[in-house]
Amino acid sequence: MDTSTPQRAHLNVTGRCNSRCRYCLCWRTQNAVSDPSTEELKSVIAQIAELGVTQISFSGGEPLLRSDLETLVEYAVVKGLSIWLVTNGLMLTTHRFMSLAKAGLGGLGVSLDSLDSETYRYLRGVRIEKVLKNLINAAKGQILPVAIATTICSINLHELKDLVSFAKTHRILISFQLYQNDAHLAASDSALSPTAEEIEPVINELCEMKKTRYPIANSREYLQSLPEYLRRGEWTNLPVCLAPLLEICIGETLNILPCWGKDMIVGNLRKTSLREIWYSPRFQEIRETLRNCRNCALSCHLENSQRNLLD
């Protein structure tokens, strides 16, 4: 696979967060480093565009904690990038949503793992009321594509069908990601991981819903592979993971990672240019090392790999 032109970039614009998710390390370590400056992130965005990337996601932490987010969106648009925002929705007021839309935001995903207030608070550590209000208001006008991002865990398995129905009611997409102890952000809590036997009937129901045009963004191949992944502890239906070849992953300290599943630092953009890092012998060695990696179920990487291998 040619590495000359990566397809998309994931940029953590902050390490700060106002949620307290049980399965995330981000908020537990947010005081360890300061955010990149506006000028630093503009430089990173410019370097991403220079490599030929056309799609970028802003995530964190919680991106809406940055007062300059609209400035960054506007700059990315000028550089020819389509921008997707990943947010917990707590600060997604109508005013902020319209401000980001005016700046040129291409779409956004709101993390939502439950519609039940107690379950949501248990998983996310904050109240759900603002999140639901902001999400529904953002979806109302159909100004931008809006999606729900749901982490599947042992606590919310019985709610997944309700979340899909909620998405259909409000004319938004929903995508699922299996909880796992990934190296970069997840806090290890084995109690949150469902078993293959627990998840299999739920996955079958989701696949049936997808057949009848419920707005599930995941491929059936990804969903149907999750029980087997839980049984084996590795991905079985993907000949090669293309994430280190196609996707640029940039952490909140401006470290370049080969993917979100491995805490391997390839280089740092405060010291070396993105072009130098992307084409470096070290990155190529890491790509070869990870070529046969099957150890994660991160939908962002696996779905993209599947699409490219099928094309």
Side-chain angles (χ1 to χ4, degrees):
M1 174 65 66
D2 184 13
T3 60
S4 59
T5 306
Q7 291 180 346
R8 59 186 185 179
H10 311 276
L11 175 58
N12 286 357
V13 297
T14 179
R16 294 176 293 139
C17 193
N18 52 352
S19 285
R20 296 293 181 265
C21 302
R22 295 183 73 84
Y23 35 64
C24 186
L25 291 173
C26 195
W27 61 271
R28 305 169 203 255
T29 59
Q30 62 181 327
N31 295 323
V33 294
S34 58
D35 285 349
S37 68
T38 305
E39 291 309 310
E40 281 182 312
L41 289 177
K42 280 185 173 182
S43 173
V44 170
I45 291 166
Q47 292 179 67
I48 288 168
E50 285 167 8
L51 276 185
V53 173
T54 57
Q55 301 173 43
I56 187 171
S57 64
F58 288 166
S59 55
E62 174 47 52
L64 293 177
L65 287 169
R66 290 196 68 112
S67 60
D68 64 351
L69 191 58
E70 285 84 349
T71 299
L72 297 174
V73 169
E74 288 174 348
Y75 186 77
V77 170
V78 168
K79 292 296 181 180
L81 294 166
S82 173
I83 310 104
W84 185 264
L85 178 69
V86 181
T87 173
N88 60 30
L90 281 168
M91 299 175 67
L92 191 65
T93 62
T94 299
H95 178 267
R96 195 76 196 271
F97 174 74
M98 295 304 296
S99 176
L100 287 163
K102 185 178 179 181
L105 185 68
L108 60 89
V110 177
S111 301
L112 184 68
D113 303 330
S114 175
L115 296 171
D116 178 78
S117 58
E118 291 303 313
T119 303
Y120 185 90
R121 192 161 189 172
Y122 177 80
L123 290 172
R124 294 273 170 181
V126 293
R127 297 176 65 89
I128 195 174
E129 289 80 7
K130 279 185 181 179
V131 176
L132 282 181
K133 177 185 175 183
N134 292 340
L135 171 60
I136 291 169
N137 285 340
K140 240 177 218 174
Q142 299 287 296
I143 296 170
L144 294 176
V146 177
I148 296 170
T150 299
T151 300
I152 301 174
C153 67
S154 59
I155 307 296
N156 67 355
L157 279 176
H158 66 288
E159 291 191 63
L160 301 187
K161 287 173 62 180
D162 292 339
L163 283 161
V164 174
S165 296
F166 174 85
K168 184 175 183 180
T169 297
H170 295 285
R171 297 186 295 168
I172 53 183
L173 286 171
I174 182 168
S175 65
F176 293 103
Q177 166 61 55
L178 180 66
Y179 167 78
Q180 65 175 100
N181 298 331
D182 74 81
H184 184 59
L185 284 179
S188 178
D189 186 349
S190 57
L192 290 176
S193 183
T195 66
E197 290 69 31
E198 288 171 333
I199 202 175
E200 196 155 35
V202 180
I203 292 300
N204 290 338
E205 289 176 330
L206 293 180
C207 287
E208 286 302 312
M209 293 180 86
K210 184 175 176 67
K211 280 183 187 176
T212 54
R213 299 188 179 276
Y214 277 83
I216 299 172
N218 302 88
S219 66
R220 278 194 290 272
E221 290 77 15
Y222 174 78
L223 294 171
Q224 290 168 342
S225 296
L226 293 180
E228 194 63 18
Y229 172 82
L230 287 167
R231 288 189 186 96
R232 294 173 176 261
E234 64 177 9
W235 199 255
T236 57
N237 72 337
L238 193 68
V240 59
C241 180
L242 302 179
L245 295 161
L246 300 178
E247 303 177 49
I248 304 169
C249 298
I250 306 172
E252 59 277 4
T253 58
L254 302 189
N255 283 332
I256 300 288
L257 308 171
C259 62
W260 293 127
K262 297 291 182 184
D263 203 11
M264 303 167 67
I265 298 172
V266 187
N268 185 278
L269 292 174
R270 287 180 170 135
K271 300 176 181 177
T272 313
S273 74
L274 177 57
R275 181 173 292 276
E276 287 178 90
I277 295 171
W278 184 256
Y279 294 110
S280 67
R282 172 168 169 74
F283 206 160
Q284 192 54 41
E285 288 172 13
I286 289 174
R287 289 185 182 107
E288 289 301 318
T289 300
L290 297 179
R291 183 174 178 82
N292 297 312
C293 180
R294 304 286 187 276
N295 298 333
C296 88
L298 292 172
S299 60
C300 55
H301 295 324
L302 293 171
E303 295 272 27
N304 195 42
S305 292
Q306 284 179 326
R307 282 192 295 270
N308 278 275
L309 289 167
L310 290 173
D311 286 347

